Amino acid sequence: MTATMDPAMTTPPTAPVHDRSLYARLWMGVPRELGYLLPILPIAIVSITVLMGVFWAGVGLVVVFVGLFVVLAALFIARGFGVLEVVRLSHSGFPEIQMPAWDRKARGGNALAKALAPLVDGHYWLYLLWAMVIGPVIGFITWSIAFAWTLTAIAGSTFWIYGWLLPNTGRGLPWLGSQFNQTFFDVILGLVALATLPFVTRGLTAVHWGIARAMLGVFTAEQLQQQVAGLSSSRSAAVAAEGTALRRLERDIHDGPQQRLVRLQMDLAAADRQLDADPAAARVLLTEAMQQSKDALEELRALSRGFAPPLLLDRGLVAALDSMASRSSIPVTFLSEVPAGTELPPELERNAYFLAAEAVTNAEKHSGATGVTLRVWLRHESADDVWLDLTVSDNGVGGAVATAGHGLAGLQERVHGLGGSLTVTSPRGGPTVVVAQLPVSAAPSAVPKATTTPAVRKSREPKVL
């Protein structure tokens, strides 16, 4: 059964909003940017006062060794101010800055060497330089501009309300009146400041974000090392997932169809021996053999769900998932929000199909559910950052746990191998919700952004094969 849904009800909650003008979006960020800019002055005064006293006291005491620990305290205080800056910038609407890995341990050496390891860590000294010099200096300048601009915008644009209460200064053109001229020019100045306020706050915050990214963020070499480590981990996870899937398939074939085929061969051999002597017994054995062949065929069909069906290669992921949902032993409601004509990488489609089929099969076997909802959609983080999200939820008893070597753990390894993430929410008593997020490694042109009315299909009644 196919139905039509309201597009407003099916748009993923994480989809970006593009229906506002640039100026309107700038105004939406003004409260957060002012919330970042206006507290800069007190924070800068506290940081420069504390760090100047602690650091230079430590430098003066270095000759008696205890100064090293005072300098170390200054480094940790600077780190605290730097972390506060990164957190405040993340709440101002700018992209989050990746901070260094502070839990790195000194290689070798005794406990004292490990305790003094921050003294040879470049990140600590950059944080100290920022908190003692760069941050306060830039902060004083940007705070002064932001405060003066905001005050001018508010006071000037509302001057016509209270300006008549102020004493006449005598300025202005004689034929218009000095009071009128003063009010007029002050209001114009305030309106200009108010109109340009979003650009000023965005620019000043961007200056701080750029400096923080350069001084407080992770080094490029460290980012590359983390990426290499992540790729190695993903490759290992992919290899482990494939190995787990092969072992599981081998076990399922051995425990299921293979045993039935052996039984079928034995029944046929027994029927052949009794065909002349006892036709009735032979007929019973043949009937049992036919049932064994049907059961073996059912199990082979169930096992084949984990492979890429021809429909997936011919018509794509949406058609394959719709077909898979219609063959389920329990009703599956399939919601597709992938625009028609979207081309996804074949490897991504194959893995997404496997994830959906495995999650639905787990719900059939273990959840005791009477219904499953399968939903798939594309999420655009940016023009070049597109994700395929897939959700499988059921109304079963819950309590699903990812155990090593079993279904959910294998799904997590597979998703990790693709560079995505998988979360399982399954409280006791249900429901169970499996959410997979897979990166789409395709050119932007291959993933059209045009939205279409999503199709919602509810699977037919379970078949009896």
Side-chain angles (χ1 to χ4, degrees), residues 49 57 59 61 109 160 203 234-235 246 265 303 318 320 329 358 371 378 391 393 448 452 458:
T49 303
V59 172
L61 294 173
W160 59 274
S234 298
R235 183 181 62 182
L246 289 175
Q265 184 180 16
L303 291 174
V318 174
S329 61
E358 184 70 12
L378 287 177
T391 302
S393 57
T452 59
K458 189 170 183 180

Side-chain angles (χ1 to χ4, degrees), residues 315-332:
R315 297 178 54 190
L317 177 63
V318 174
L321 291 178
D322 188 18
S323 177
M324 182 269 294
S326 68
R327 298 194 309 269
S328 174
S329 61
I330 59 177
V332 176

Side-chain angles (χ1 to χ4, degrees), residues 128-427:
L128 181 66
L129 176 63
W130 173 87
M132 285 181 56
V133 181
I134 305 298
V137 171
I138 300 299
F140 290 147
I141 297 173
T142 56
W143 180 88
S144 301
I145 296 174
F147 182 79
W149 211 283
T150 304
L151 185 62
T152 301
I154 297 175
S157 61
T158 59
F159 189 76
W160 59 274
I161 299 176
Y162 62 89
W164 62 275
L165 297 174
L166 301 178
N168 195 329
T169 60
R171 295 188 293 110
L173 300 177
W175 59 85
L176 292 178
S178 59
Q179 189 72 20
F180 173 82
N181 279 272
Q182 179 180 352
T183 302
F184 177 77
F185 286 112
D186 287 344
V187 169
I188 292 299
L189 179 61
L191 291 177
V192 171
L194 185 65
T196 56
L197 181 63
F199 300 99
V200 174
T201 58
R202 179 62 59 90
L204 296 177
T205 308
V207 170
H208 282 277
W209 184 84
I211 294 174
R213 183 181 182 185
M215 300 188 68
L216 307 181
V218 66
F219 294 150
T220 303
E222 294 175 344
Q223 284 183 324
L224 293 176
Q225 290 177 354
Q226 293 177 2
Q227 291 176 2
V228 170
L231 291 175
S232 299
S233 176
S234 298
R235 183 181 62 182
S236 300
V239 173
E242 290 297 332
T244 301
L246 289 175
R247 289 191 298 271
R248 181 181 178 187
L249 179 61
E250 180 182 5
R251 183 184 66 247
D252 291 342
I253 292 176
H254 179 272
D255 296 341
Q258 180 176 335
Q259 298 296 326
R260 294 192 183 278
L261 291 175
V262 170
R263 174 70 181 277
L264 173 63
Q265 184 180 16
M266 295 173 61
D267 289 345
L268 291 175
D272 181 63
R273 289 193 300 268
Q274 298 184 12
L275 187 59
D276 295 330
D278 190 355
R283 189 175 297 108
V284 172
L285 290 174
L286 289 175
T287 302
E288 293 179 356
M290 291 178 62
Q291 184 61 42
Q292 292 293 335
S293 66
K294 290 181 180 180
D295 293 341
L297 181 60
E298 288 292 335
E299 292 185 354
L300 287 174
R301 286 176 176 173
L303 291 174
S304 68
R305 294 184 185 180
F307 299 99
L311 186 62
L312 179 64
L313 302 177
D314 296 337
R315 297 178 54 190
L317 177 63
V318 174
L321 291 178
D322 188 18
S323 177
M324 182 269 294
S326 68
R327 298 194 309 269
S328 174
S329 61
I330 59 177
V332 176
T333 301
F334 176 50
L335 295 84
S336 172
E337 299 170 28
V338 177
T342 300
E343 296 182 3
L344 298 173
E347 188 66 18
L348 176 67
E349 288 189 330
R350 186 179 70 85
N351 282 279
Y353 178 85
F354 177 85
L355 291 170
E358 184 70 12
V360 171
T361 301
N362 287 339
E364 294 175 4
K365 292 182 177 179
H366 309 298
S367 70
T370 59
V372 176
T373 300
L374 170 60
R375 178 175 176 234
V376 60
W377 73 93
L378 287 177
R379 172 167 50 89
H380 295 268
E381 293 291 341
S382 65
D384 300 325
D385 188 12
V386 184
W387 292 74
L388 178 70
D389 289 357
L390 188 145
T391 302
V392 178
S393 57
D394 62 62
N395 59 357
V397 298
V401 179
T403 306
H406 292 76
L408 291 178
L411 293 183
Q412 289 178 338
E413 290 180 344
R414 182 179 290 268
V415 173
H416 182 54
L418 296 171
S421 63
L422 183 137
T423 58
V424 180
T425 304
S426 184

